[in-house]
Amino acid sequence: MLLQSGTSRRLSLAAIAAVVALALAGCADNPDGKVGATALAPGQNCKSVQRELDRLVSRGVASKIEAANAGRKLSSQAQADVDRYNNLLGQYLGGRCHV
């Protein structure tokens, strides 16, 4: 068994305390500890977000996303499609539409 010096023990305890504090702060809004869904944008529901995601996929946004991830330059419209898809996907997952 390794013995820790006083300084490293204090640092370890401080790190543990920081992790616990962050965890508790994250649960402050949900006393039961369950992570809840975030609200969708006004006027949207899970089906409308899914329809728009499907529309973007049918327009070839997947290849645009791959190109952007590969570091290739995209036209402003292609970049707008990628940004919109990522935003909608965040709403879809955050709204727990996939559950």
Side-chain angles (χ1 to χ4, degrees), residues 3 8 12 14 19 24 71 73 88-89 93 95:
L3 295 176
S8 66
S12 295
V19 169
L24 291 174
K73 182 80 172 140
L88 287 167
L89 184 59
L93 296 174

Side-chain angles (χ1 to χ4, degrees), residues 2 5 7 13 20 23 28 30 34-35 37 41 52-53 56 58 60 62 64 67 79 85 91 93-94 99:
L2 289 173
S5 70
T7 302
L13 291 175
V20 169
N30 297 318
K34 295 180 182 176
V35 177
E52 193 167 352
L53 285 168
L56 287 167
S58 71
K64 296 171 188 175
Q79 186 62 53
Y85 183 86
Q91 289 181 37
L93 296 174
V99 177

